[in-house]
Amino acid sequence: MNKEIQGTPSSTSIVFAYLVVYIVWGSTFFFIEKALHSFSPFVLGSIRFIIAGTLLMSYCKIRGYKIYIKSAVKDALFIGFLLLFIDMAAIIWSEQYISSGIVSILSAATAIWFIIFDKPKWKQNFSSPPIILGLLFGFIGVFMLFAEQIFGDTAHGEDKTMKLTAMVVLIFGTIGWTIGSLISKYSKEKRPVDSQEEEMNVLVKTAWQMVSAGTAFTLVALINGEYARFDIASVAMADWGAMAYLATMGSILAFGSYLFLLQHRPATEVSTYAYINPIVALMLAHFFTSHQVTNMQIFGLIVVLSSVLLMNWDLYKDNKKFKVYKRAKRIKKLREMAPQSSIPRIVEISNFNSKHEKKKVKTPQD
């Protein structure tokens, strides 16, 4: 019991981790757009992930984590290629032509592809009315953003074509992220429970994923001539600052905070970052870039976030806090409906039920 108390993080640590995940991850879209002023897309990804991977791998080595397990490294390199190269390459390349705010909204729509590509859960997902409605909302939100680029007055001719191309590339990037995430999920589930194979620390796996992404970005930057054209002397200090922010705050601190929260908070609660990140990105794009945030973009954001909420509804409704909230709301309604003299009895029954539930939880441990 004492160990559990000692291992419980303080509320300050939890709040700080949430602020990092909410704000820092949301701001990375903005800082990518800033860094692109001096760095070409694949050079940006190359330097970012080489720095982040090197720092994280060094930290893991200092902590004494096992750095190399052949099968685990092989999996991490492949998943890192899908998650951090395919998806991030699409995001970085797209931000040359479209606002970081639009990119963040389309990235939030990744939930659509999780429903479509998660074949083992098709029966469960497609028999749920909230999920089907969420899918419909998600496609409507994405269509609204495409329609704005097609019929809006913000772009003409070749510029409009490049914006549409960037949005299509971004969609394929989010599909890559989804496939990588699902492969990671099911490869872990298929592993035998009694397997004697040593497990690699999650931070080491992440470091290898960054190495994979950094290597892929570097190879492409060398092949397409971006490194040959790169002039390090012409990089503005502000853009070096954006690069440093992306490598340390975005790739290491934010992801570390995310893992920390998953260990100590319910996954459904942690997943709320998906609703906050696009809002942060859209606000930064509005106040600190030349891009115009239109009413259509704001409405599209609302529709997409509503779709994400609906697609996760079955998870949220089973969440312990949600159940407590519903019970409290029900008791409040009973209080309003009941005569004054019966209110103490309602409170008494509520307290009894709470104590009874706690006893039921404790009984198996005894």
Side-chain angles (χ1 to χ4, degrees):
M1 184 66 183
N2 291 333
K3 286 182 179 179
E4 288 179 5
I5 294 173
Q6 290 175 0
T8 303
S10 66
S11 57
T12 304
S13 300
I14 294 291
V15 170
F16 175 76
Y18 268 117
L19 287 174
V20 169
V21 171
Y22 284 165
I23 298 173
V24 173
W25 259 359
S27 67
T28 54
F29 296 97
F30 167 77
F31 281 100
I32 286 172
E33 187 174 338
K34 286 297 180 187
L36 282 170
H37 292 159
S38 295
F39 298 94
S40 55
F42 290 96
V43 169
L44 193 161
S46 169
I47 297 175
R48 174 185 178 180
F49 286 110
I50 286 174
I51 293 173
T54 302
L55 290 175
L56 189 56
M57 192 72 81
S58 301
Y59 171 79
C60 292
K61 186 69 176 175
I62 292 170
R63 289 295 302 268
Y65 299 143
K66 191 173 181 64
I67 298 298
Y68 185 80
I69 299 173
K70 186 177 180 180
S71 59
V73 170
K74 184 179 177 181
D75 290 343
L77 292 175
F78 178 63
I79 292 168
F81 177 80
L82 291 172
L83 263 61
L84 298 181
F85 175 68
I86 297 296
D87 182 57
M88 285 307 307
I91 288 174
I92 295 171
W93 188 87
S94 297
E95 287 201 30
Q96 295 178 105
Y97 307 103
I98 56 178
S99 163
S100 54
I102 296 177
V103 172
S104 68
I105 299 171
L106 288 175
S107 295
T110 302
I112 295 172
W113 309 118
F114 274 98
I115 301 299
I116 292 175
F117 288 104
D118 195 354
K119 188 176 179 180
K121 287 197 172 184
W122 275 359
K123 186 176 180 181
Q124 176 185 335
N125 289 337
F126 291 107
S127 62
S128 170
I131 290 177
I132 294 173
L133 187 60
L135 270 177
L136 180 62
F137 269 46
F139 280 117
I140 290 172
V142 171
F143 176 76
M144 287 169 63
L145 295 176
F146 271 85
E148 183 196 36
Q149 301 302 315
I150 296 171
F151 303 110
D153 298 326
T154 56
H156 302 279
E158 186 178 348
D159 186 33
K160 182 178 288 189
T161 301
M162 291 309 301
K163 285 192 172 191
L164 287 173
T165 303
M167 293 176 78
V168 171
V169 167
L170 186 57
I171 293 296
F172 279 105
T174 59
I175 291 174
W177 171 276
T178 303
I179 293 172
S181 298
L182 290 173
I183 290 173
S184 177
K185 172 187 174 182
Y186 287 113
S187 64
K188 188 179 293 184
E189 289 182 0
K190 288 178 182 178
R191 194 175 298 143
V193 179
D194 57 349
S195 176
Q196 299 299 314
E197 185 178 345
E198 188 178 355
E199 182 68 20
M200 182 179 281
N201 185 279
V202 66
L203 289 179
V204 180
K205 290 180 181 178
T206 304
W208 279 113
Q209 289 173 11
M210 290 179 180
V211 168
S212 173
T215 302
F217 271 109
T218 301
L219 287 174
V220 174
L222 288 170
I223 293 169
N224 70 6
E226 285 189 17
Y227 262 124
R229 296 188 298 271
F230 178 57
D231 180 11
I232 194 169
S234 65
V235 178
M237 284 302 297
D239 298 333
W240 276 120
M243 173 67 77
Y245 181 90
L246 290 169
T248 55
M249 301 289 286
S251 295
I252 297 178
L253 180 62
F255 188 75
S257 297
Y258 175 70
L259 294 177
F260 168 78
L261 288 171
L262 284 178
Q263 291 173 352
H264 300 288
R265 305 302 300 170
T268 49
E269 183 182 297
V270 179
S271 69
T272 54
Y273 78 88
Y275 306 100
I276 309 298
N277 285 175
I279 297 173
V280 171
L282 208 62
M283 289 178 65
L284 289 172
H286 175 70
F287 290 109
F288 299 103
T289 73
S290 59
H291 294 290
Q292 181 184 1
V293 177
T294 64
N295 291 332
M296 180 70 85
Q297 290 174 21
I298 295 172
F299 192 47
L301 172 64
I302 294 170
V303 173
V304 168
L305 295 188
S306 298
S307 78
V308 176
L309 177 63
L310 286 167
M311 284 185 276
N312 286 288
W313 186 253
D314 289 341
L315 293 175
Y316 293 136
K317 73 176 184 179
D318 295 327
N319 183 265
K320 185 178 177 182
K321 284 190 174 183
F322 186 74
K323 287 181 177 178
V324 170
Y325 170 75
K326 285 201 299 184
R327 188 175 66 180
K329 199 172 181 181
R330 190 164 58 245
I331 292 170
K332 184 180 179 182
K333 189 175 181 180
L334 283 171
R335 283 185 175 184
E336 292 172 353
M337 294 172 61
Q340 186 67 29
S341 59
S342 67
I343 290 176
R345 179 60 181 160
I346 294 171
V347 176
E348 183 183 339
I349 292 171
S350 172
N351 291 337
F352 173 79
N353 287 337
S354 297
K355 291 177 182 177
H356 183 65
E357 287 178 7
K358 287 179 181 178
K359 284 181 181 179
K360 284 173 69 178
V361 173
K362 289 181 180 179
T363 302
Q365 294 177 350
D366 296 334

